[in-house]
């Protein structure tokens, strides 16, 4: 029963000085709120980035033209046309765990339809493109292998092109002109929004790659090759096998191509976000330390103010441990309540910011637990010395204290 009586005395002491207790908690509230707010926003931003990377396709390996040495000059990917449709067929037929491929050619063109025009990205792809990019159709269907073989003038379009050229109309079955060539619209891609690099993914027209290469641009090389692996676990092996195969096909010891996968991009982005998350949490933790110093100062003042009270309690039978526990409870209660308020304010702040910036916010339970436990520990650490000092007071000297 003695411990419960000690707790009641500690809480009664805090209630007697409500304003001082609130001001003492302010440092903890700000520190914990800053930690939770910053972590919630960075976690939400990380999730948004991960979703955007996933929207580019899962288990995808991309082979880019370039990364070559020629005449003493060295270039990065995309700097020279080195990939062909035959490379695509070789990857599909000879590399295990490859489920889909699409040779990719791209240009920006002014397209016309319905009496209007729009400058957009025109992509030449295989029928596997929506599957590789994890991009379902909103309506209509993807062109087929027969369309690729026959150089058919068919196209699927993104939502931005629909909005610009066919407002309040159904574009399916209508004609869109690319370099004055009529292409029949057979499908509409589901809206995806902007990607990781700030590009509007829906501002796109997709045609069979053979139609693009032979009817629109008259080229023999492709810009890059999209490859879908059977699963994430097969990506590294697929990437290695593609490298070996293309080195053999291109009869070169130096790579004239670059192979990258989505997991590399995901890891790079998430590692940067994690570093930012811990950096912001570390900066916010300084506020927690300041809050702990504030609690220690106030508790020392409280010990000085209540010296006679401590002497009276000791005179009527309170032990040194009772005094120690009483002041520890006061310090821990201050920091725990401050931590709880800080958690709620941090979550509310992150939600307001996220809502105004139209971005998701996620508050990991792990960080909530860390913030609460940290605030309680700060209460114990900052309150221990004042509590120990109070417990060591001599009852006679305490009763004489004015």
């Amino acid at each position: 029963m003695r411990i419960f009586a000690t707790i009641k005395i500690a809480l009664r002491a805090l209630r007697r000085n409500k304003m001082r207790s609130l001001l003492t908690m302010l440092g903890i509230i700000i520190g914990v709120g800053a930690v939770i707010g910053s972590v919630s926003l960075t976690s939400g931003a990380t999730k948004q980035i991960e979703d955007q990377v996933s929207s580019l396709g899962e288990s995808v390996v991309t082979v880019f033209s370039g990364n070559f040495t020629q005449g003493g000059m060295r270039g990065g990917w995309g700097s020279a046309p080195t990939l062909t449709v035959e490379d695509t067929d070789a990857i599909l037929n000879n590399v295990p765990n490859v489920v889909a491929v699409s040779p990719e050619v791209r240009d920006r063109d002014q397209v016309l339809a319905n009496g209007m025009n729009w400058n957009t990205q025109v992509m030449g792809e295989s029928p596997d493109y929506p599957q590789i990019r994890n991009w379902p159709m909103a309506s209509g269907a993807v062109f087929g292998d027969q369309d690729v073989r026959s150089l058919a003038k068919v196209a699927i379009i993104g939502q931005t092109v629909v909005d610009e050229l066919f407002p309040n109309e159904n574009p399916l079955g209508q004609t869109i002109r690319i370099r004055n060539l009529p292409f029949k619209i057979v499908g509409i891609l589901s809206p995806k929004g902007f990607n990781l690099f700030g590009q509007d993914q829906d501002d796109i027209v997709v045609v069979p790659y053979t139609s693009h290469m032979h009817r629109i641009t008259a080229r023999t090389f492709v810009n890059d090759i999209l490859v879908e692996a059977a699963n994430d676990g097969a990506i590294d092996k697929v990437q290695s096998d593609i490298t070996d195969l293309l080195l053999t096909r291109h009869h070169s010891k130096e790579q004239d191509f670059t192979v990258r996968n989505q997991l590399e991009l995901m890891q790079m982005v998430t590692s940067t976000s994690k570093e930012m998350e811990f950096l912001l949490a570390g900066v916010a933790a300084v506020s927690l330390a300041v809050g702990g110093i504030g609690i220690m100062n106030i508790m020392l003042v409280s010990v000085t103010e209540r010296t006679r009270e401590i002497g009276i309690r000791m005179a009527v039978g309170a032990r040194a441990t009772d005094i120690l526990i009483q002041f520890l409870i006061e310090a821990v209660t201050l920091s725990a309540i401050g931590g709880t308020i800080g958690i709620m304010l941090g979550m509310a702040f992150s939600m307001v910011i996220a809502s105004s910036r139209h971005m998701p916010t996620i508050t990991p339970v792990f960080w909530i637990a860390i913030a609460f436990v940290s605030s309680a520990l700060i209460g114990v650490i900052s309150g221990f010395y004042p509590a120990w000092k109070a417990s060591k007071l001599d009852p006679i000297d305490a009763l004489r204290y004015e």
Side-chain angles (χ1 to χ4, degrees):
M1 295 297 292
R2 184 185 291 271
I3 184 65
F4 293 111
T6 304
I7 292 173
K8 289 173 65 176
I9 293 171
L11 295 177
R12 191 182 305 126
L14 292 176
R15 286 197 298 270
R16 280 202 305 265
N17 297 283
K18 293 184 179 67
M19 182 57 68
R20 187 168 72 181
S21 297
L22 180 60
L23 292 176
T24 304
M25 290 187 292
L26 198 57
I28 299 294
I29 293 172
I30 293 173
V32 171
V35 170
I36 294 300
S38 61
V39 168
S40 298
L41 290 173
T42 53
S43 296
T46 300
K47 179 62 167 61
Q48 186 178 42
I49 291 170
E50 289 175 348
D51 290 343
Q52 289 177 341
V53 173
S54 296
S55 73
L56 299 176
E58 299 177 359
S59 304
V60 175
V61 174
T62 306
V63 187
F64 300 98
S65 292
N67 190 31
F68 66 99
T69 301
Q70 182 176 335
M73 299 296 290
R74 186 168 179 79
W77 61 262
S79 53
T82 59
L83 300 174
T84 65
V85 174
E86 289 73 21
D87 290 330
T88 304
D89 296 335
I91 291 172
L92 181 62
N93 296 327
N94 297 291
V95 177
N97 295 314
V98 169
V99 296
V101 295
S102 179
E104 188 170 78
V105 289
R106 55 182 179 272
D107 276 298
R108 290 202 69 87
D109 278 296
Q110 204 76 17
V111 297
L112 298 89
N114 204 26
M116 292 179 282
N117 68 87
W118 180 249
N119 188 274
T120 187
Q121 183 167 230
V122 179
M123 308 285 290
E125 303 284 353
S126 80
D128 291 332
Y129 177 71
Q131 173 188 330
I132 296 172
R133 288 286 308 275
N134 191 26
W135 202 343
M137 303 297 296
S139 59
V142 186
F143 47 79
D145 292 327
Q146 178 58 37
D147 295 315
V148 172
R149 288 190 292 269
S150 63
L151 282 64
K153 290 184 285 187
V154 292
I156 56 177
I157 61 177
Q159 188 59 48
T160 298
V161 178
V162 174
D163 295 339
E164 295 296 335
L165 298 182
F166 302 95
N168 305 316
E169 289 187 41
N170 182 4
L172 285 180
Q174 297 201 46
T175 298
I176 186 169
R177 302 188 74 84
I178 307 171
R179 298 194 183 182
N180 210 33
L181 295 173
F183 283 76
K184 180 181 178 181
I185 299 172
V186 296
I188 301 171
L189 293 161
S190 297
K192 270 203 173 188
F194 289 85
N195 65 13
L196 182 64
F197 310 105
Q199 298 172 326
D200 184 1
Q201 297 180 92
D202 301 320
D203 190 5
I204 187 174
V205 174
V206 182
V207 301
Y209 68 88
T210 51
S211 303
H212 195 296
M213 295 175 70
H214 297 287
R215 293 184 183 277
I216 298 176
T217 56
R219 67 174 65 176
T220 57
F221 291 91
V222 301
N223 293 99
D224 45 72
I225 302 171
L226 301 179
V227 182
E228 182 181 7
N231 51 65
D232 288 349
I235 286 182
D236 290 339
K237 185 65 167 62
V238 167
Q239 187 168 348
S240 174
D241 290 345
I242 290 173
T243 301
D244 293 340
L245 174 66
L246 293 183
L247 282 174
T248 301
R249 284 185 52 80
H250 293 189
H251 308 291
S252 174
K253 293 182 180 180
E254 287 280 349
Q255 285 188 200
D256 58 357
F257 56 89
T258 302
V259 186
R260 292 288 182 265
N261 65 64
Q262 298 299 86
L263 290 181
E264 291 174 341
L265 178 60
M266 181 80 77
Q267 290 167 357
M268 179 189 70
V269 171
T270 54
S271 65
T272 302
S273 299
K274 289 295 181 184
E275 290 173 3
M276 183 62 68
E277 181 178 311
F278 281 103
L279 176 63
L280 292 175
V283 172
V286 175
S287 298
L288 279 177
V290 173
I293 294 171
I295 289 178
M296 181 180 291
N297 288 337
I298 293 300
M299 294 306 299
L300 284 171
V301 171
S302 182
V303 169
T304 302
E305 288 180 346
R306 293 155 61 188
T307 299
R308 284 181 60 82
E309 174 192 327
I310 294 168
I312 293 171
R313 287 200 64 204
M314 287 182 167
V316 296
R319 299 172 301 185
T321 53
D322 295 328
I323 303 300
L324 178 68
I325 291 173
Q326 175 188 340
F327 282 90
L328 271 180
I329 288 172
E330 290 184 25
V332 172
T333 301
L334 283 172
S335 58
I337 293 175
T340 302
I341 295 173
I343 289 170
M344 292 188 293
L345 289 179
M347 293 175 66
F349 172 76
S350 65
M351 289 178 183
V352 170
I353 297 298
S355 176
S356 64
R357 299 294 299 272
H358 304 289
M359 60 181 288
T361 177
I362 299 173
T363 306
V365 176
F366 169 78
W367 278 103
I368 292 177
I370 287 291
F372 185 80
V373 171
S374 297
S375 62
L377 284 176
I378 285 174
V380 172
I381 294 169
S382 59
F384 182 80
Y385 175 70
W388 176 82
K389 182 179 179 182
S391 70
K392 294 301 180 182
L393 287 175
D394 183 87
I396 295 176
D397 290 338
L399 287 171
R400 288 176 179 170
Y401 185 83
E402 293 294 340

